[in-house]
Amino acid sequence: MAEATLTKKDFQSDQIVRWCPGCGDYAILAAIQSVMPNLGVPKEKIVFVSGIGCSSRFPYYMNTYGFHTIHGRAPAIATGLKLSNPDLQVFVVTGDGDGLSIGGNHLLHVLRRNIDVKILLFNNKVYGLTKGQYSPTSDLGFKTKSSPMGSLDQPINPIRIALASEASFVARTYDANIKHMTETFEKAAAHKGSAFIEILQNCVIFNKDVFNDIYERDVRSDHMVHLEEGEPLVFGAESDKGVFLDGFSLKTGSLEAPPAGQLLTHQPNQESPIYANLLAAMEYPQLPLPVGVFRKVPRPGYEAGVQGQIAQARTKQPDDSLQTLFHSGDTWEVK
Amino acid sequence: MESATIRFSGDSGDGMQLTGTQFTNTSANFGNDISTFPDFPAEIRAPAGTVPGVSGFQINFSTHDIHTPGDRPNVLVAMNPAALKANVADLEDGGLLLINSDAFTKVNLKKAEYEVNPLEDGSLDRFRLIPMALTELTHRAVEPTGISKKEADRCKNFFALGIMYYLFDRNLELSLTWIDKKFGKVPDIKEANRLALLAGYNFADTTEIFADAYQVPAANLKKGNYRSLTGNQAVAMGFITASKLAGRPLFYGSYPITPASDVLHELARHRHFGVQTFQAEDEIAAVCAAIGAAYGGHLALTGTSGPGICLKAEAINLAVMTELPLVILNVQRAGPSTGMPTKTEQSDLLQAMYGRNGSSPCVVLAPATPGECFTFAIEAFRLATKYMVPVFLLSDGYIANGAEPWRIPNEADLPKFEITYAESQENFQPYSRNNHLARPWAVPGTPGLEHRIGGLEKAHLSGNVSYDPGNHQLMTDYRAMKVRNIREDIPGLEIYGDPEAETLLVGWGGTYGALFTAVQNQNKQGKKVAGAHFRYINPFPANTAEVLARYKRIVVAELNEGQLDFLLKAQFNIQTHTLFKVQGKPFMVREIIDFLNAL
C-alpha cells in the first residue's frame, strides 16, 4: 500500500517455489520480482495471469493478484480483466506449449488487438510439466518419449509469430542474464499496448542446456547480437564484428575489413515490419541470435477504444434510464 | 372470430419475416394478444425456389390470452410452389390458401419437385384456394415509380400484407409509417412499397374475392403499457437491467452463432448503458474473457448455443473452481454437432448439468416464455453474484425468436440486488465463506487483498494449492451444498389447472405455452389434469418432491429424449409417462392433448 517503499521482498509470496533445482524459471522470477518495485505501480494493481505448464505456476510465487487459469487461455482471460479494469498492470506468463500450441489462437488475437498486457513466453523448446514431449519450438528430429524417432514438426519462431500478429512491442531475452532480463522487462512495462517477450529458458530435466551454445558466458558475445536502439549491430568479444545487409540477405563480417553491403543500425521503431522481420529470421548457428527489443511502435490501445465508444454512445444517447430502454420500439397502451 | 393463425411463407429472399413482423406489430398495437413463430433456413439465400430455401413466419392473434403461435394456420400465404409444398400439410381443412399464381411456372414447379401443377390437379380442393397474380399485380401497382422489374418484384410481400390487412380489418398506419422511416432515403423504393401495400388492401376490398373481412377484437389484457418482444430481445434487456440494478457494468463475451447472435447485436447497440460487448476469436476466448471480467468485478456474461457450450466447458469449470460469478446463456438449437441450427430443441439440459469433468455443480435456469427471458436474465445474475457460482440460462430457438406482448414493468417493481466486494483487510482469506457458503469477491486493485486463484484445488480458507484428501472432499461438498441451498432462495413449484387433478403434466423452459394451453383445453373438456412447469432445474424448487407425490400419474413432455425425466427419476424416484419430440419443431397443442387422451 505504501508503494514508495516497496522492495523485491514485498513481491515474494509465502509459497515454496517448486520448480526443479537449477530450472531457468528461478532466475526469471528473481528478475521479475526485482523489477516490480521500479514500475511505480502499487502492488494491488499488478496481476499475473498464467495458463498451464511449468512457467504458469509463476503467479503463486508473486505476492500480487494472480490467476492460474487453463491451458492456453491466459491471454483471453487477461483481455477480459483488462477490459473490465484498464488501470491494472497485467502480466501474462506462458510457455512455448501453452502460448504457441494450445493457446496459439489467443496469442495471435491479444497481440493484434494490442491489449495492454505484458506477455512473458518462457521458451525451453520442450513440454516440461507433462514430462518431456516435443513442443512447437522443438528442433526437427528432436527425440522425446512421444517422438522416439525424432520430431517431424517444423519448429516455429516465437518472434516471427508475434510480428505476424502485428504486435507493437516484441523482444527476446534469456534466463542466463538477469541484467538483460531486467532491462527488457522494464522496457516492456513502459510500453503502452501489448508487449511480447520471448525468454530463452533452460529446462534442466528434459532439454538441458539447449541454449548453451548460444548464451554460455564464453560464447555469448560471438553467438548473440544485442540489439540497442540507434546502435550498429555489432558483436564479438572485441566488438569487432557486425551484421550487414547485402541485397535481401544478412551476413556477418569484420568491421575492420567490412564485406559488401551495409552495416545495420538498430531501429526498432520503424513503422514497417520488414526490418524487424529481417532480424527475427536470424537464427544461430547461421547468424548470431539477436536479443533485445526487435520492434517498438505506437499503436492505439483496444481498451481506450472500447471506453471511447462507450463515451461516444453516451454523448449521442445520454438517456440510459430503464424506462427509456423498456419503451424503445413500438409500444401501446391497454386501458 | 376469437383468434386466427396466419402463416406467411415464401423464398428466404421474399421478405416473409418482415411481412410477419409487420402484421405482428400492427395486431399487437390493435390490442390483440399475439404469439409468433418465425421458421427460416440456416442458409441466408438457399437456392431460390427450392423447399430448403423456404422461410415462414406464423402469427397467432387473439381476443383472449394466448400462449402459443397456434398449431395449424387458418390462413396460409404461399409465394411460390416450394412454400406451398413445405407448408400446405399444416393448413387446417377449409383454411384459406392465398397463392401467388405467377410463381407457379414450369421451372419453379420443377424446383419444388411437383410433377403436376397442384393448382390444377384438385389436390388443394379441401382448402379455400385463392390464386392471385401477385407479381403481375404488384408490378402494375408500382409502375408510376419507374423502378426496375427486379425492384418491383421485391415489393410483392407488401402487396400480400395489404391483402391480409384488409382480410383481418387492420389499420395500415403503422406499416406506412414504418415504410416512410425505413426507406426515407430512397424515395422511389419508399413510394413503391407504399403503393404495393395500399394496392393489396384496395384490391382485396374491391374484388370481392373475400366475402367478408374477419374481426378479431382486441384482447382483454391487463392494463398497462405493452411492447412486442422476442426472447432474444428480452434476455438482452434483462441483462442490461441487471447491470443497472446492481450498479455494475455488463460484459458480454461472445462468438457469433445461430440462434444466439441477436443477443450480441442487441447488446452491442446499447453501449450507452456502459455495456461492453467483446466479439472474441472463438467460443473459448469468449467465455474466458467473461471470466476475466468477472474476476475484475463486472457482471460477466457469455452467450452461445449448444456447440459453443461444448467448447466452453473447460473454462466454465474454471469459474466453478475459482467460484466467480458467471452467467452462461445457451439459446438451444437442434443437435448433436451442427445439427439444425435454426430449429428448436431442449436437448442441452444434461450438458448444463453434467457436461464437464469432475463434480461441477452449476445453477440451471430455464425461462418459459419470451417475456420470462427478461426476468430470468436478472435472476441469473442475482444468483451468480450472491452465491459466487456459474449460472446457466437455457433459452431455445423457439422462445428466442418468437414474440409476445410484454407488459412494461415499473422500475419500482423490479427485484433489487446488491453486490458487495471484499474490502481491504488484514489476513485476507480468499476461500472463507459467508452464511450461504459464498466466498468473497475480491477485485484486483483492492489494497491488501492480493491473493492467487486458479483451477487447481484450493485449500479451505487460505486458497493455497492443496492436494490434501480431506480438503478436496470438503471443497467438493461446499461447492455442491452452495448450489443445493439455493432452493431456499427461489420460489416453489406452482401448479396450474384443475386443483382436483390426478394427472400432472410436467415440462420445463420454452414448451410452457403449448403445455399450458393443452391443460386449459383438457380442463374445459372436464378432464382432471394439472400442470407444473420448471424454471429452476438446478436446484429444483424445495417443494418438488412433495408436489410430485400428490399425483397418481405424472406426464413429462419435453423436446428431447427424456432429460428432465431422467433428472426427476434420479432425484425423486418417480414413475412417469413420457412425451418426447425431437423434430426441430415446438410442440403442437394437439399432440399433447392426443397423448393425454390416449393415456
Side-chain angles (χ1 to χ4, degrees), chain B residues 314-334:
Chain B
E314 187 194 13
I316 293 168
N317 245 351
L318 179 66
V320 168
M321 200 63 159
T322 52
E323 304 190 38
L324 285 169
L326 173 71
V327 174
I328 307 131
L329 170 69
N330 178 355
V331 186
Q332 298 169 97
R333 66 193 218 186

Side-chain angles (χ1 to χ4, degrees), chain B residues 168-441:
Chain B
F168 290 97
D169 195 20
R170 309 275 104 156
N171 191 315
L172 302 182
E173 216 40 58
L174 205 70
S175 286
L176 288 172
T177 311
W178 184 88
I179 290 171
D180 280 352
K181 219 165 139 189
K182 176 78 182 176
F183 301 110
K185 285 184 186 148
V186 268
D188 49 347
I189 301 290
K190 179 182 89 176
E191 190 52 23
N193 280 303
R194 281 178 63 91
L195 289 173
L197 180 67
L198 291 163
Y201 188 92
N202 294 332
F203 180 81
D205 188 8
T206 51
T207 53
E208 297 183 351
I209 292 174
F210 308 104
D212 293 297
Y214 297 103
Q215 307 280 340
V216 179
N220 193 13
L221 295 174
K222 203 173 159 186
K223 276 184 194 167
N225 284 306
Y226 283 79
R227 60 175 290 174
S228 163
L229 208 56
T230 67
N232 272 347
Q233 290 171 329
V235 86
M237 206 184 280
F239 290 133
I240 296 169
T241 304
S243 159
K244 286 284 282 184
L245 294 174
R248 294 302 305 158
L250 178 67
F251 181 93
Y252 186 51
S254 191
Y255 184 78
I257 185 170
T258 302
S261 301
D262 279 342
V263 179
L264 175 60
H265 307 157
E266 197 61 25
L267 289 173
R269 61 186 198 88
H270 284 98
R271 281 177 160 67
H272 59 297
F273 282 87
V275 175
Q276 285 193 36
T277 53
F278 176 65
Q279 181 179 314
E281 57 269 26
D282 58 28
E283 295 280 1
I284 299 172
V287 63
C288 284
I291 290 170
Y295 180 50
H298 273 37
L299 290 192
L301 171 70
T302 190
T304 185
S305 189
I309 300 288
C310 294
L311 289 163
K312 293 181 197 292
E314 187 194 13
I316 293 168
N317 245 351
L318 179 66
V320 168
M321 200 63 159
T322 52
E323 304 190 38
L324 285 169
L326 173 71
V327 174
I328 307 131
L329 170 69
N330 178 355
V331 186
Q332 298 169 97
R333 66 193 218 186
S337 187
T338 309
M340 302 196 288
T342 55
K343 307 299 174 190
T344 197
E345 209 164 279
Q346 296 184 298
S347 47
D348 298 344
L349 174 56
L350 293 183
Q351 180 191 42
M353 290 291 296
Y354 303 121
R356 294 168 298 283
N357 63 303
S359 293
S360 167
C362 293
V363 176
V364 180
L365 309 178
T369 63
E372 276 187 20
C373 288
F374 173 82
T375 38
F376 275 84
I378 302 171
E379 178 69 344
F381 269 120
R382 182 185 76 87
L383 294 174
T385 53
K386 180 170 174 185
Y387 294 90
M388 297 293 283
V389 69
V391 175
F392 274 92
L393 191 56
L394 300 181
S395 161
D396 62 52
Y398 172 66
I399 57 171
N401 289 316
E404 65 175 13
W406 181 66
R407 194 165 165 267
I408 296 170
N410 284 321
E411 263 185 81
D413 299 336
L414 294 170
K416 295 270 169 293
F417 68 91
E418 267 184 33
I419 285 182
T420 42
Y421 301 131
E423 288 173 5
S424 297
Q425 55 193 273
E426 301 273 308
N427 302 318
F428 176 61
Q429 303 271 36
Y431 276 75
S432 58
R433 290 174 194 280
N434 63 17
N435 56 7
H436 47 268
L437 303 180
R439 79 174 190 89
W441 193 356

Side-chain angles (χ1 to χ4, degrees), chain B residues 465-521:
Chain B
V465 174
S466 170
Y467 283 80
D468 179 82
N471 179 74
H472 180 50
Q473 180 82 56
L474 179 72
M475 295 299 273
T476 304
D477 292 348
Y478 271 139
R479 290 187 286 264
M481 271 160 59
K482 183 169 78 165
V483 171
R484 207 158 49 232
N485 289 350
I486 290 175
R487 66 188 166 188
E488 308 303 333
D489 195 6
I490 58 175
L493 184 62
E494 282 181 23
I495 302 293
Y496 60 86
D498 190 330
E500 319 247 287
E502 296 185 337
T503 299
L504 183 71
L505 177 63
V506 171
W508 66 279
T511 55
Y512 173 75
L515 269 53
F516 179 85
T517 308
V519 169
Q520 244 184 355
N521 187 298

